[in-house]
Amino acid sequence: VKASGKNGYRFFTPDMNICYTKRISLENELRQAIPNSEFELFYQPQVSINGASIIGLEALIRWRHPTHGLLNPGDFIELAEETGMIGTITDWVLAEACRQLAHWRSMGFSDLRIAVNVSPKEFERDDMVEQLSRFMSTFQLPPDSLEVEITEKILLRDTPSVINKMKTLRERGIRISIDDFGTCYSSLNYLRQFPISTIKIDQSFVRDLSEEHRISPIIQAIIGIANGFGLHLLAEGVETHCQMQTLHALGCNEMQGYLFSRPAPAEQIEQMLCHTISH
Ligand code: C2E
Ligand code: CA
Ligand code: CA
Ligand code: CA
């Protein structure tokens, strides 16, 4: 191991070294992101077509990196998971989402709810449910104003601890939605076992809907499953009018996507709320 400049050691070849030091510096910067207040939550509206209104908001994390600009979760969540920093980040996300929701509800948007993304590994954490309950009581939020989004992958683990956590959340009234539904080839059997509130139709299936292809057997099957199990249904990644109309015709009334709004900072969302919801 050779010292190489002010912030690192050279382990491998020069080429690998570039990649390695990049990762190390990103890792160090990630460690500073919370103390430096560089994380921000963007929010994307979830709308109901019937009422043409905003029913909820999905919180999506962004990192205002000091030199790289605004980073999407795809640029850093994996690193956060690998280095164990995801725990601190998840706690920050939960607290911030609760704080923001409490603020909006106090402005009079009292039916609004927020959906937060929780990585499968984080969901398995022992103090997950308690932590969440703590934040919700700190901000005096009713349990059904929060929805936890987990991907289907978690259900593949099928451990008693996962089921128990989900049950506890549901007993407390917190909603659970299954993100990216249909992409994981997991058994439909879990729908009977797990206390799920909502399934989110993955954007890859929505993308298949076009002027020429208004019929999608997969989407029809998913809608049938949701109805059969009495689950809420929300389609994500809706970008065109055609997709919206087709989904609506098929019986899906809740949607999210660029057609309605891109994820945006809280101030912009607040203006949108003031214009679309009378309070
Ligand atoms: P996701 O939960 O499936 O979120 C949907 C992603 O699709 C978001 O990307 C959103 O910006 C994007 N999107 C929304 N509408 C449309 C549309 O109409 N068309 C297209 N093409 N894309 C659309 P984003 O914000 O980059 O987030 C990516 C993923 O990162 C999320 O996927 C989620 O799994 C994860 N993520 C986001 N925030 C958090 C967080 O706070 N914690 C954790 N653990 N993961 C997060
Ligand atoms: Ca999500
Ligand atoms: Ca998704
Ligand atoms: Ca996804």
Side-chain angles (χ1 to χ4, degrees):
V1 178
K2 237 171 77 185
S4 72
K6 70 171 178 14
N7 57 15
Y9 294 90
R10 200 175 284 168
F11 288 90
F12 310 114
T13 63
D15 264 8
M16 289 172 81
N17 187 43
I18 294 171
C19 180
Y20 179 75
T21 47
K22 252 196 192 156
R23 188 190 147 103
I24 291 289
S25 65
L26 199 66
E27 195 178 319
N28 287 332
E29 287 156 354
L30 195 56
R31 247 173 254 289
Q32 293 308 309
I34 288 184
N36 292 348
S37 311
E38 289 163 3
F39 286 130
E40 184 175 334
L41 290 183
F42 274 28
Y43 299 90
Q44 186 178 35
Q46 301 180 325
V47 305
S48 141
I49 297 307
N50 292 333
S53 61
I54 298 177
I55 50 175
L57 298 161
E58 179 176 1
L60 295 157
I61 193 168
R62 298 290 181 268
W63 179 12
R64 289 202 188 274
H65 188 280
T67 53
H68 303 320
L70 190 68
L71 299 185
N72 288 325
D75 299 321
F76 61 91
I77 286 291
E78 213 180 288
L79 182 63
E81 285 172 347
E82 285 164 12
T83 54
M85 283 186 262
I86 189 72
T88 325
I89 296 176
T90 301
D91 288 347
W92 180 85
V93 168
L94 296 177
E96 175 60 14
C98 288
R99 187 199 63 76
Q100 185 63 65
L101 181 61
H103 169 72
W104 282 330
R105 290 174 71 99
S106 76
M107 287 177 67
F109 307 116
S110 45
D111 293 330
L112 205 60
R113 59 171 196 253
I114 276 188
V116 291
N117 293 282
V118 177
S119 305
K121 234 173 139 186
E122 279 305 286
F123 192 79
E124 287 190 85
R125 221 170 79 187
D126 280 341
D127 65 342
M128 187 69 235
V129 174
E130 288 316 315
Q131 186 72 289
L132 200 54
S133 298
R134 213 171 301 139
F135 290 136
M136 297 195 64
S137 70
T138 302
F139 293 103
Q140 298 183 312
L141 292 169
D144 66 351
S145 65
L146 197 88
E147 188 158 274
V148 173
E149 294 197 359
I150 46 184
T151 59
E152 244 182 337
K153 277 193 210 90
I154 185 103
L155 306 171
L156 291 176
R157 304 191 181 203
D158 195 13
T159 64
S161 110
V162 168
I163 301 184
N164 285 337
K165 277 204 185 66
M166 290 175 74
K167 284 193 174 144
T168 314
L169 281 180
R170 292 297 294 137
E171 276 159 21
R172 295 189 186 182
I174 295 170
R175 304 159 59 109
I176 300 171
S177 78
I178 300 302
D179 210 346
D180 307 341
F181 185 83
T183 57
C184 200
Y185 312 106
S186 58
S187 147
L188 292 178
N189 203 31
Y190 71 73
L191 290 170
R192 275 202 309 225
Q193 249 172 301
F194 294 87
I196 296 157
S197 338
T198 307
I199 54 186
K200 292 186 81 170
I201 303 179
D202 189 64
Q203 32 187 283
S204 59
F205 304 129
V206 173
R207 211 170 296 134
D208 289 341
L209 299 173
S210 63
E211 264 342 310
E212 304 88 69
H213 301 97
R214 283 176 171 268
I215 306 280
S216 156
I218 295 180
I219 289 187
Q220 281 172 308
I222 294 175
I223 292 175
I225 289 165
N227 290 338
F229 283 92
L231 301 171
H232 287 277
L233 186 68
L234 187 142
E236 67 178 346
V238 179
E239 295 183 351
T240 67
H241 260 278
C242 172
Q243 290 167 344
M244 178 188 75
Q245 284 166 342
T246 307
L247 285 161
H248 189 43
L250 290 172
C252 175
N253 301 320
E254 297 187 5
M255 303 179 199
Q256 182 181 348
Y258 294 167
L259 178 65
F260 311 101
S261 167
R262 290 191 171 244
E267 314 83 72
Q268 273 179 45
I269 293 296
E270 195 163 303
Q271 287 179 355
M272 220 179 289
L273 288 173
C274 291
H275 286 107
T276 50
I277 303 179
S278 51
H279 61 293

